[in-house]
Amino acid sequence: MSRSVLFDTETTGLDPLTGDRVIEVAALELVNDLPTGKHFHALIDPQRDIPAEASRIHGFSNGDLVGKPLFAAIAQPLADFFADSKLIAHNAPFDFGFLDMEFGRAGLPPLARDRMIDSLVLAKTRFPGMPNSLDALCRRFAIDLSARTTHNALLDCKLLAEVYVELTGGRQRGLSLAAQDARGPVAVYVHTGPRTPHPIVPTEAERALHAAFLTRIKEPIWLLP
């Protein structure tokens, strides 16, 4: 069993070094690259104002966070949820940088970079030169975006989990899902017995159409001696 954690943050701005803070963090547990249903989610009082341009992106204002815990109160539970698993995020250096700053304020160590899996790098490798934002990848993989009116961390995690499965080939189309145990569903192949061959036998009409088609091809290989 391979456990990893996919996570996302929303923040007051773009740079933790200039005082921007985390206002939301969400994380999903993956086992063998598939979500188990276990997750962590917290809204956080950033102890500072949220600029209007940031609110337009994620939809949160300071009023939404009144009475929410400070990051120090959720730091250890979040670190416990991460445990020693690999950590997946889209544009991961951004999220790692913010969490490192917040963990540091709470007296916890930074996240080791050898745990980082950046799904944006995976997407750029697979689709070089193409748009590889989360929205663009969801559209490319026909993943429903109708609920994503703002950048909500928990919803983004759920969407990214579907994108990550597609990027890594973790779910093969046509495989059934079976519950492995209480941890949740894992893709498995269900053996149903020996395969029965079903040869395709063309009708006389289909044979005639094929023969007529071959007359329009110069030296068709099917008719060579």
Side-chain angles (χ1 to χ4, degrees):
M1 181 187 73
S2 173
R3 182 184 190 267
S4 55
V5 174
L6 184 151
F7 77 98
D8 185 44
T9 62
E10 298 298 340
T11 65
T12 63
L14 299 177
D15 191 351
L17 297 177
T18 59
D20 284 317
R21 301 291 300 272
V22 173
I23 62 171
E24 184 185 22
V25 60
L28 299 180
E29 180 185 66
L30 307 181
V31 171
N32 297 336
D33 291 339
L34 295 174
T36 67
K38 283 187 65 175
H39 72 275
F40 179 97
H41 179 240
L43 294 175
I44 299 152
D45 180 354
Q47 299 178 281
R48 56 151 292 167
D49 67 297
I50 301 175
E53 58 269 25
S55 291
R56 281 193 292 271
I57 294 172
H58 49 58
F60 291 112
S61 65
N62 285 95
D64 297 318
L65 304 174
V66 171
K68 301 303 180 183
L70 304 183
F71 191 92
I74 64 99
Q76 190 60 58
L78 177 60
D80 292 343
F81 188 83
F82 283 168
D84 59 355
S85 299
K86 291 288 187 180
L87 301 174
I88 306 159
H90 203 64
N91 190 21
F94 176 88
D95 299 282
F96 269 65
F98 267 96
L99 288 188
D100 281 352
M101 185 68 72
E102 297 287 6
F103 280 142
R105 288 191 179 100
L108 296 176
L111 300 170
R113 290 308 187 264
D114 62 359
R115 301 173 64 187
M116 179 192 292
I117 298 175
D118 190 348
S119 56
L120 180 58
V121 171
L122 296 179
K124 287 180 175 180
T125 300
R126 183 166 174 183
F127 304 110
M130 298 178 68
N132 285 303
S133 66
L134 181 57
D135 281 0
L137 290 168
C138 285
R139 285 190 290 268
R140 194 169 301 147
F141 292 127
I143 295 168
D144 183 13
L145 275 169
S146 59
R148 193 175 191 252
T149 56
T150 57
H151 286 245
N152 172 280
L154 185 56
L155 175 59
D156 284 2
C157 277
K158 292 176 180 177
L159 293 173
L160 183 56
E162 295 189 59
V163 166
Y164 184 69
V165 166
E166 298 287 353
L167 287 174
T168 59
R171 177 182 297 138
Q172 298 297 319
R173 299 295 184 186
L175 294 187
S176 63
L177 293 179
Q180 183 186 40
D181 54 29
R183 289 186 296 267
V186 177
V188 296
Y189 172 71
V190 178
H191 180 64
T192 57
R195 295 182 179 180
T196 302
H198 296 282
I200 298 174
V201 180
T203 65
E204 288 302 319
E206 290 170 335
R207 290 177 183 274
L209 287 172
H210 181 63
F213 172 75
L214 293 181
T215 64
R216 300 197 299 270
I217 300 177
K218 184 179 180 180
E219 296 182 355
I221 59 173
W222 300 273
L223 301 180
L224 293 177

PDB file of all heavy atoms in Angstrom, residues 174-209:
ATOM      1  N   GLY A 174     -12.407   0.898 -17.181  1.00  0.00           N
ATOM      2  CA  GLY A 174     -12.981  -0.433 -17.281  1.00  0.00           C
ATOM      3  C   GLY A 174     -12.664  -1.324 -16.102  1.00  0.00           C
ATOM      4  O   GLY A 174     -13.251  -2.387 -15.959  1.00  0.00           O
ATOM      5  N   LEU A 175     -11.722  -0.919 -15.245  1.00  0.00           N
ATOM      6  CA  LEU A 175     -11.468  -1.716 -14.051  1.00  0.00           C
ATOM      7  C   LEU A 175     -12.551  -1.419 -13.026  1.00  0.00           C
ATOM      8  O   LEU A 175     -12.968  -0.287 -12.852  1.00  0.00           O
ATOM      9  CB  LEU A 175     -10.097  -1.380 -13.459  1.00  0.00           C
ATOM     10  CG  LEU A 175      -8.870  -1.736 -14.304  1.00  0.00           C
ATOM     11  CD1 LEU A 175      -7.607  -1.489 -13.494  1.00  0.00           C
ATOM     12  CD2 LEU A 175      -8.911  -3.189 -14.751  1.00  0.00           C
ATOM     13  N   SER A 176     -12.994  -2.429 -12.323  1.00  0.00           N
ATOM     14  CA  SER A 176     -14.014  -2.202 -11.315  1.00  0.00           C
ATOM     15  C   SER A 176     -13.367  -1.764 -10.021  1.00  0.00           C
ATOM     16  O   SER A 176     -12.174  -1.971  -9.800  1.00  0.00           O
ATOM     17  CB  SER A 176     -14.808  -3.497 -11.080  1.00  0.00           C
ATOM     18  OG  SER A 176     -13.963  -4.501 -10.565  1.00  0.00           O
ATOM     19  N   LEU A 177     -14.155  -1.127  -9.152  1.00  0.00           N
ATOM     20  CA  LEU A 177     -13.671  -0.688  -7.856  1.00  0.00           C
ATOM     21  C   LEU A 177     -14.159  -1.658  -6.797  1.00  0.00           C
ATOM     22  O   LEU A 177     -15.329  -2.014  -6.740  1.00  0.00           O
ATOM     23  CB  LEU A 177     -14.186   0.720  -7.538  1.00  0.00           C
ATOM     24  CG  LEU A 177     -13.627   1.837  -8.427  1.00  0.00           C
ATOM     25  CD1 LEU A 177     -14.245   3.174  -8.022  1.00  0.00           C
ATOM     26  CD2 LEU A 177     -12.118   1.902  -8.332  1.00  0.00           C
ATOM     27  N   ALA A 178     -13.240  -2.089  -5.963  1.00  0.00           N
ATOM     28  CA  ALA A 178     -13.598  -2.988  -4.873  1.00  0.00           C
ATOM     29  C   ALA A 178     -13.061  -2.405  -3.580  1.00  0.00           C
ATOM     30  O   ALA A 178     -11.962  -1.888  -3.535  1.00  0.00           O
ATOM     31  CB  ALA A 178     -13.006  -4.381  -5.111  1.00  0.00           C
ATOM     32  N   ALA A 179     -13.847  -2.489  -2.523  1.00  0.00           N
ATOM     33  CA  ALA A 179     -13.394  -1.962  -1.243  1.00  0.00           C
ATOM     34  C   ALA A 179     -12.341  -2.897  -0.671  1.00  0.00           C
ATOM     35  O   ALA A 179     -12.610  -4.058  -0.384  1.00  0.00           O
ATOM     36  CB  ALA A 179     -14.579  -1.850  -0.285  1.00  0.00           C
ATOM     37  N   GLN A 180     -11.121  -2.349  -0.492  1.00  0.00           N
ATOM     38  CA  GLN A 180     -10.038  -3.175   0.049  1.00  0.00           C
ATOM     39  C   GLN A 180     -10.242  -3.406   1.539  1.00  0.00           C
ATOM     40  O   GLN A 180     -10.092  -4.501   2.034  1.00  0.00           O
ATOM     41  CB  GLN A 180      -8.702  -2.483  -0.211  1.00  0.00           C
ATOM     42  CG  GLN A 180      -7.502  -3.310   0.246  1.00  0.00           C
ATOM     43  CD  GLN A 180      -6.217  -2.523   0.095  1.00  0.00           C
ATOM     44  OE1 GLN A 180      -6.200  -1.326   0.370  1.00  0.00           O
ATOM     45  NE2 GLN A 180      -5.160  -3.175  -0.325  1.00  0.00           N
ATOM     46  N   ASP A 181     -10.589  -2.334   2.227  1.00  0.00           N
ATOM     47  CA  ASP A 181     -10.897  -2.408   3.649  1.00  0.00           C
ATOM     48  C   ASP A 181     -11.464  -1.059   4.025  1.00  0.00           C
ATOM     49  O   ASP A 181     -11.922  -0.315   3.184  1.00  0.00           O
ATOM     50  CB  ASP A 181      -9.654  -2.785   4.484  1.00  0.00           C
ATOM     51  CG  ASP A 181      -8.475  -1.856   4.219  1.00  0.00           C
ATOM     52  OD1 ASP A 181      -8.723  -0.680   3.882  1.00  0.00           O
ATOM     53  OD2 ASP A 181      -7.340  -2.307   4.365  1.00  0.00           O
ATOM     54  N   ALA A 182     -11.436  -0.719   5.315  1.00  0.00           N
ATOM     55  CA  ALA A 182     -12.031   0.540   5.765  1.00  0.00           C
ATOM     56  C   ALA A 182     -11.324   1.762   5.197  1.00  0.00           C
ATOM     57  O   ALA A 182     -11.835   2.870   5.294  1.00  0.00           O
ATOM     58  CB  ALA A 182     -12.012   0.585   7.298  1.00  0.00           C
ATOM     59  N   ARG A 183     -10.117   1.573   4.651  1.00  0.00           N
ATOM     60  CA  ARG A 183      -9.398   2.728   4.114  1.00  0.00           C
ATOM     61  C   ARG A 183     -10.066   3.249   2.865  1.00  0.00           C
ATOM     62  O   ARG A 183      -9.848   4.364   2.457  1.00  0.00           O
ATOM     63  CB  ARG A 183      -7.949   2.355   3.813  1.00  0.00           C
ATOM     64  CG  ARG A 183      -7.098   2.144   5.046  1.00  0.00           C
ATOM     65  CD  ARG A 183      -5.659   1.935   4.628  1.00  0.00           C
ATOM     66  NE  ARG A 183      -5.497   0.739   3.839  1.00  0.00           N
ATOM     67  CZ  ARG A 183      -5.177  -0.448   4.352  1.00  0.00           C
ATOM     68  NH1 ARG A 183      -5.035  -0.586   5.646  1.00  0.00           N
ATOM     69  NH2 ARG A 183      -5.025  -1.504   3.578  1.00  0.00           N
ATOM     70  N   GLY A 184     -10.864   2.449   2.152  1.00  0.00           N
ATOM     71  CA  GLY A 184     -11.580   2.962   1.000  1.00  0.00           C
ATOM     72  C   GLY A 184     -11.316   2.157  -0.244  1.00  0.00           C
ATOM     73  O   GLY A 184     -10.600   1.158  -0.233  1.00  0.00           O
ATOM     74  N   PRO A 185     -11.913   2.597  -1.388  1.00  0.00           N
ATOM     75  CA  PRO A 185     -11.824   1.825  -2.621  1.00  0.00           C
ATOM     76  C   PRO A 185     -10.466   1.935  -3.284  1.00  0.00           C
ATOM     77  O   PRO A 185      -9.844   2.990  -3.291  1.00  0.00           O
ATOM     78  CB  PRO A 185     -12.907   2.454  -3.499  1.00  0.00           C
ATOM     79  CG  PRO A 185     -13.009   3.851  -3.002  1.00  0.00           C
ATOM     80  CD  PRO A 185     -12.748   3.779  -1.521  1.00  0.00           C
ATOM     81  N   VAL A 186      -9.999   0.839  -3.809  1.00  0.00           N
ATOM     82  CA  VAL A 186      -8.758   0.786  -4.572  1.00  0.00           C
ATOM     83  C   VAL A 186      -9.055   0.039  -5.864  1.00  0.00           C
ATOM     84  O   VAL A 186      -9.781  -0.961  -5.855  1.00  0.00           O
ATOM     85  CB  VAL A 186      -7.640   0.068  -3.784  1.00  0.00           C
ATOM     86  CG1 VAL A 186      -6.381  -0.042  -4.625  1.00  0.00           C
ATOM     87  CG2 VAL A 186      -7.352   0.794  -2.486  1.00  0.00           C
ATOM     88  N   ALA A 187      -8.532   0.534  -6.978  1.00  0.00           N
ATOM     89  CA  ALA A 187      -8.808  -0.109  -8.265  1.00  0.00           C
ATOM     90  C   ALA A 187      -8.168  -1.489  -8.310  1.00  0.00           C
ATOM     91  O   ALA A 187      -6.993  -1.647  -8.001  1.00  0.00           O
ATOM     92  CB  ALA A 187      -8.266   0.743  -9.407  1.00  0.00           C
ATOM     93  N   VAL A 188      -8.964  -2.495  -8.687  1.00  0.00           N
ATOM     94  CA  VAL A 188      -8.455  -3.850  -8.808  1.00  0.00           C
ATOM     95  C   VAL A 188      -9.030  -4.483 -10.066  1.00  0.00           C
ATOM     96  O   VAL A 188     -10.080  -4.073 -10.562  1.00  0.00           O
ATOM     97  CB  VAL A 188      -8.825  -4.733  -7.585  1.00  0.00           C
ATOM     98  CG1 VAL A 188      -8.188  -4.207  -6.329  1.00  0.00           C
ATOM     99  CG2 VAL A 188     -10.341  -4.818  -7.422  1.00  0.00           C
ATOM    100  N   TYR A 189      -8.346  -5.485 -10.581  1.00  0.00           N
ATOM    101  CA  TYR A 189      -8.868  -6.253 -11.709  1.00  0.00           C
ATOM    102  C   TYR A 189      -9.645  -7.440 -11.161  1.00  0.00           C
ATOM    103  O   TYR A 189      -9.157  -8.186 -10.316  1.00  0.00           O
ATOM    104  CB  TYR A 189      -7.728  -6.748 -12.595  1.00  0.00           C
ATOM    105  CG  TYR A 189      -8.200  -7.705 -13.667  1.00  0.00           C
ATOM    106  CD1 TYR A 189      -8.960  -7.248 -14.733  1.00  0.00           C
ATOM    107  CD2 TYR A 189      -7.890  -9.061 -13.596  1.00  0.00           C
ATOM    108  CE1 TYR A 189      -9.408  -8.112 -15.709  1.00  0.00           C
ATOM    109  CE2 TYR A 189      -8.341  -9.941 -14.566  1.00  0.00           C
ATOM    110  CZ  TYR A 189      -9.094  -9.460 -15.632  1.00  0.00           C
ATOM    111  OH  TYR A 189      -9.528 -10.316 -16.595  1.00  0.00           O
ATOM    112  N   VAL A 190     -10.893  -7.583 -11.606  1.00  0.00           N
ATOM    113  CA  VAL A 190     -11.731  -8.686 -11.156  1.00  0.00           C
ATOM    114  C   VAL A 190     -11.717  -9.765 -12.231  1.00  0.00           C
ATOM    115  O   VAL A 190     -12.196  -9.552 -13.347  1.00  0.00           O
ATOM    116  CB  VAL A 190     -13.170  -8.206 -10.886  1.00  0.00           C
ATOM    117  CG1 VAL A 190     -14.044  -9.378 -10.472  1.00  0.00           C
ATOM    118  CG2 VAL A 190     -13.173  -7.131  -9.812  1.00  0.00           C
ATOM    119  N   HIS A 191     -11.156 -10.940 -11.903  1.00  0.00           N
ATOM    120  CA  HIS A 191     -11.068 -12.039 -12.852  1.00  0.00           C
ATOM    121  C   HIS A 191     -12.389 -12.784 -12.888  1.00  0.00           C
ATOM    122  O   HIS A 191     -12.916 -13.200 -11.865  1.00  0.00           O
ATOM    123  CB  HIS A 191      -9.943 -12.987 -12.437  1.00  0.00           C
ATOM    124  CG  HIS A 191      -9.789 -14.162 -13.366  1.00  0.00           C
ATOM    125  ND1 HIS A 191      -9.433 -14.018 -14.688  1.00  0.00           N
ATOM    126  CD2 HIS A 191      -9.952 -15.487 -13.149  1.00  0.00           C
ATOM    127  CE1 HIS A 191      -9.376 -15.209 -15.251  1.00  0.00           C
ATOM    128  NE2 HIS A 191      -9.686 -16.122 -14.343  1.00  0.00           N
ATOM    129  N   THR A 192     -12.967 -12.908 -14.070  1.00  0.00           N
ATOM    130  CA  THR A 192     -14.281 -13.549 -14.183  1.00  0.00           C
ATOM    131  C   THR A 192     -14.229 -14.856 -14.951  1.00  0.00           C
ATOM    132  O   THR A 192     -15.256 -15.368 -15.382  1.00  0.00           O
ATOM    133  CB  THR A 192     -15.264 -12.597 -14.874  1.00  0.00           C
ATOM    134  OG1 THR A 192     -14.738 -12.230 -16.162  1.00  0.00           O
ATOM    135  CG2 THR A 192     -15.488 -11.342 -14.047  1.00  0.00           C
ATOM    136  N   GLY A 193     -13.025 -15.415 -15.126  1.00  0.00           N
ATOM    137  CA  GLY A 193     -12.911 -16.686 -15.829  1.00  0.00           C
ATOM    138  C   GLY A 193     -12.267 -16.511 -17.194  1.00  0.00           C
ATOM    139  O   GLY A 193     -11.917 -15.416 -17.603  1.00  0.00           O
ATOM    140  N   PRO A 194     -12.087 -17.628 -17.917  1.00  0.00           N
ATOM    141  CA  PRO A 194     -11.428 -17.561 -19.221  1.00  0.00           C
ATOM    142  C   PRO A 194     -12.245 -16.752 -20.216  1.00  0.00           C
ATOM    143  O   PRO A 194     -13.478 -16.716 -20.158  1.00  0.00           O
ATOM    144  CB  PRO A 194     -11.332 -19.036 -19.648  1.00  0.00           C
ATOM    145  CG  PRO A 194     -12.422 -19.715 -18.877  1.00  0.00           C
ATOM    146  CD  PRO A 194     -12.507 -18.984 -17.568  1.00  0.00           C
ATOM    147  N   ARG A 195     -11.528 -16.072 -21.107  1.00  0.00           N
ATOM    148  CA  ARG A 195     -12.206 -15.268 -22.110  1.00  0.00           C
ATOM    149  C   ARG A 195     -12.757 -16.159 -23.218  1.00  0.00           C
ATOM    150  O   ARG A 195     -12.121 -17.123 -23.637  1.00  0.00           O
ATOM    151  CB  ARG A 195     -11.241 -14.254 -22.711  1.00  0.00           C
ATOM    152  CG  ARG A 195     -10.760 -13.214 -21.703  1.00  0.00           C
ATOM    153  CD  ARG A 195      -9.862 -12.210 -22.374  1.00  0.00           C
ATOM    154  NE  ARG A 195      -9.415 -11.192 -21.448  1.00  0.00           N
ATOM    155  CZ  ARG A 195      -8.615 -10.185 -21.788  1.00  0.00           C
ATOM    156  NH1 ARG A 195      -8.184 -10.083 -23.031  1.00  0.00           N
ATOM    157  NH2 ARG A 195      -8.255  -9.297 -20.890  1.00  0.00           N
ATOM    158  N   THR A 196     -13.933 -15.820 -23.691  1.00  0.00           N
ATOM    159  CA  THR A 196     -14.550 -16.528 -24.800  1.00  0.00           C
ATOM    160  C   THR A 196     -14.357 -15.715 -26.076  1.00  0.00           C
ATOM    161  O   THR A 196     -14.818 -14.571 -26.141  1.00  0.00           O
ATOM    162  CB  THR A 196     -16.049 -16.737 -24.557  1.00  0.00           C
ATOM    163  OG1 THR A 196     -16.226 -17.465 -23.338  1.00  0.00           O
ATOM    164  CG2 THR A 196     -16.694 -17.494 -25.714  1.00  0.00           C
ATOM    165  N   PRO A 197     -13.651 -16.268 -27.066  1.00  0.00           N
ATOM    166  CA  PRO A 197     -13.430 -15.497 -28.290  1.00  0.00           C
ATOM    167  C   PRO A 197     -14.727 -15.271 -29.047  1.00  0.00           C
ATOM    168  O   PRO A 197     -15.620 -16.142 -29.073  1.00  0.00           O
ATOM    169  CB  PRO A 197     -12.457 -16.375 -29.082  1.00  0.00           C
ATOM    170  CG  PRO A 197     -12.681 -17.757 -28.573  1.00  0.00           C
ATOM    171  CD  PRO A 197     -13.032 -17.601 -27.120  1.00  0.00           C
ATOM    172  N   HIS A 198     -14.857 -14.083 -29.629  1.00  0.00           N
ATOM    173  CA  HIS A 198     -16.025 -13.745 -30.432  1.00  0.00           C
ATOM    174  C   HIS A 198     -15.550 -13.257 -31.796  1.00  0.00           C
ATOM    175  O   HIS A 198     -15.386 -12.061 -32.015  1.00  0.00           O
ATOM    176  CB  HIS A 198     -16.867 -12.664 -29.739  1.00  0.00           C
ATOM    177  CG  HIS A 198     -17.460 -13.100 -28.441  1.00  0.00           C
ATOM    178  ND1 HIS A 198     -18.578 -13.904 -28.367  1.00  0.00           N
ATOM    179  CD2 HIS A 198     -17.079 -12.862 -27.153  1.00  0.00           C
ATOM    180  CE1 HIS A 198     -18.871 -14.134 -27.093  1.00  0.00           C
ATOM    181  NE2 HIS A 198     -17.978 -13.516 -26.334  1.00  0.00           N
ATOM    182  N   PRO A 199     -15.281 -14.178 -32.720  1.00  0.00           N
ATOM    183  CA  PRO A 199     -14.781 -13.767 -34.035  1.00  0.00           C
ATOM    184  C   PRO A 199     -15.801 -12.915 -34.773  1.00  0.00           C
ATOM    185  O   PRO A 199     -17.018 -13.122 -34.656  1.00  0.00           O
ATOM    186  CB  PRO A 199     -14.545 -15.101 -34.752  1.00  0.00           C
ATOM    187  CG  PRO A 199     -15.429 -16.082 -34.056  1.00  0.00           C
ATOM    188  CD  PRO A 199     -15.477 -15.633 -32.618  1.00  0.00           C
ATOM    189  N   ILE A 200     -15.277 -11.938 -35.512  1.00  0.00           N
ATOM    190  CA  ILE A 200     -16.130 -11.059 -36.304  1.00  0.00           C
ATOM    191  C   ILE A 200     -16.209 -11.623 -37.718  1.00  0.00           C
ATOM    192  O   ILE A 200     -15.189 -11.727 -38.415  1.00  0.00           O
ATOM    193  CB  ILE A 200     -15.577  -9.625 -36.322  1.00  0.00           C
ATOM    194  CG1 ILE A 200     -15.544  -9.067 -34.888  1.00  0.00           C
ATOM    195  CG2 ILE A 200     -16.404  -8.728 -37.232  1.00  0.00           C
ATOM    196  CD1 ILE A 200     -14.880  -7.724 -34.770  1.00  0.00           C
ATOM    197  N   VAL A 201     -17.377 -12.004 -38.150  1.00  0.00           N
ATOM    198  CA  VAL A 201     -17.581 -12.602 -39.470  1.00  0.00           C
ATOM    199  C   VAL A 201     -18.340 -11.608 -40.338  1.00  0.00           C
ATOM    200  O   VAL A 201     -19.505 -11.290 -40.055  1.00  0.00           O
ATOM    201  CB  VAL A 201     -18.355 -13.921 -39.370  1.00  0.00           C
ATOM    202  CG1 VAL A 201     -18.547 -14.524 -40.761  1.00  0.00           C
ATOM    203  CG2 VAL A 201     -17.631 -14.895 -38.443  1.00  0.00           C
ATOM    204  N   PRO A 202     -17.699 -11.063 -41.377  1.00  0.00           N
ATOM    205  CA  PRO A 202     -18.393 -10.086 -42.223  1.00  0.00           C
ATOM    206  C   PRO A 202     -19.489 -10.746 -43.049  1.00  0.00           C
ATOM    207  O   PRO A 202     -19.398 -11.918 -43.428  1.00  0.00           O
ATOM    208  CB  PRO A 202     -17.279  -9.549 -43.117  1.00  0.00           C
ATOM    209  CG  PRO A 202     -16.262 -10.638 -43.161  1.00  0.00           C
ATOM    210  CD  PRO A 202     -16.319 -11.296 -41.812  1.00  0.00           C
ATOM    211  N   THR A 203     -20.521  -9.965 -43.335  1.00  0.00           N
ATOM    212  CA  THR A 203     -21.595 -10.443 -44.199  1.00  0.00           C
ATOM    213  C   THR A 203     -21.143 -10.363 -45.651  1.00  0.00           C
ATOM    214  O   THR A 203     -20.120  -9.738 -45.983  1.00  0.00           O
ATOM    215  CB  THR A 203     -22.852  -9.594 -44.003  1.00  0.00           C
ATOM    216  OG1 THR A 203     -22.569  -8.255 -44.454  1.00  0.00           O
ATOM    217  CG2 THR A 203     -23.270  -9.556 -42.536  1.00  0.00           C
ATOM    218  N   GLU A 204     -21.907 -10.993 -46.551  1.00  0.00           N
ATOM    219  CA  GLU A 204     -21.582 -10.923 -47.970  1.00  0.00           C
ATOM    220  C   GLU A 204     -21.627  -9.486 -48.469  1.00  0.00           C
ATOM    221  O   GLU A 204     -20.807  -9.078 -49.301  1.00  0.00           O
ATOM    222  CB  GLU A 204     -22.559 -11.796 -48.775  1.00  0.00           C
ATOM    223  CG  GLU A 204     -22.341 -13.289 -48.598  1.00  0.00           C
ATOM    224  CD  GLU A 204     -20.919 -13.696 -49.006  1.00  0.00           C
ATOM    225  OE1 GLU A 204     -20.415 -13.187 -50.036  1.00  0.00           O
ATOM    226  OE2 GLU A 204     -20.325 -14.516 -48.295  1.00  0.00           O
ATOM    227  N   ALA A 205     -22.569  -8.703 -47.963  1.00  0.00           N
ATOM    228  CA  ALA A 205     -22.663  -7.297 -48.373  1.00  0.00           C
ATOM    229  C   ALA A 205     -21.416  -6.535 -47.934  1.00  0.00           C
ATOM    230  O   ALA A 205     -20.876  -5.701 -48.681  1.00  0.00           O
ATOM    231  CB  ALA A 205     -23.926  -6.658 -47.791  1.00  0.00           C
ATOM    232  N   GLU A 206     -20.932  -6.810 -46.735  1.00  0.00           N
ATOM    233  CA  GLU A 206     -19.726  -6.142 -46.248  1.00  0.00           C
ATOM    234  C   GLU A 206     -18.504  -6.566 -47.049  1.00  0.00           C
ATOM    235  O   GLU A 206     -17.611  -5.756 -47.335  1.00  0.00           O
ATOM    236  CB  GLU A 206     -19.534  -6.458 -44.761  1.00  0.00           C
ATOM    237  CG  GLU A 206     -20.571  -5.781 -43.867  1.00  0.00           C
ATOM    238  CD  GLU A 206     -20.545  -6.282 -42.441  1.00  0.00           C
ATOM    239  OE1 GLU A 206     -20.100  -7.432 -42.220  1.00  0.00           O
ATOM    240  OE2 GLU A 206     -20.972  -5.522 -41.548  1.00  0.00           O
ATOM    241  N   ARG A 207     -18.444  -7.848 -47.429  1.00  0.00           N
ATOM    242  CA  ARG A 207     -17.334  -8.321 -48.272  1.00  0.00           C
ATOM    243  C   ARG A 207     -17.345  -7.598 -49.618  1.00  0.00           C
ATOM    244  O   ARG A 207     -16.294  -7.203 -50.140  1.00  0.00           O
ATOM    245  CB  ARG A 207     -17.443  -9.831 -48.489  1.00  0.00           C
ATOM    246  CG  ARG A 207     -17.155 -10.688 -47.263  1.00  0.00           C
ATOM    247  CD  ARG A 207     -17.366 -12.162 -47.581  1.00  0.00           C
ATOM    248  NE  ARG A 207     -17.174 -13.004 -46.420  1.00  0.00           N
ATOM    249  CZ  ARG A 207     -15.981 -13.482 -46.030  1.00  0.00           C
ATOM    250  NH1 ARG A 207     -14.891 -13.190 -46.727  1.00  0.00           N
ATOM    251  NH2 ARG A 207     -15.901 -14.255 -44.958  1.00  0.00           N
ATOM    252  N   ALA A 208     -18.528  -7.407 -50.183  1.00  0.00           N
ATOM    253  CA  ALA A 208     -18.630  -6.728 -51.477  1.00  0.00           C
ATOM    254  C   ALA A 208     -18.191  -5.280 -51.364  1.00  0.00           C
ATOM    255  O   ALA A 208     -17.482  -4.761 -52.241  1.00  0.00           O
ATOM    256  CB  ALA A 208     -20.066  -6.824 -51.993  1.00  0.00           C
ATOM    257  N   LEU A 209     -18.599  -4.613 -50.305  1.00  0.00           N
ATOM    258  CA  LEU A 209     -18.174  -3.231 -50.105  1.00  0.00           C
ATOM    259  C   LEU A 209     -16.665  -3.133 -49.944  1.00  0.00           C
ATOM    260  O   LEU A 209     -16.022  -2.210 -50.446  1.00  0.00           O
ATOM    261  CB  LEU A 209     -18.883  -2.651 -48.873  1.00  0.00           C
ATOM    262  CG  LEU A 209     -20.367  -2.333 -49.027  1.00  0.00           C
ATOM    263  CD1 LEU A 209     -20.974  -1.954 -47.668  1.00  0.00           C
ATOM    264  CD2 LEU A 209     -20.576  -1.201 -50.023  1.00  0.00           C
TER     265      LEU A 209
END
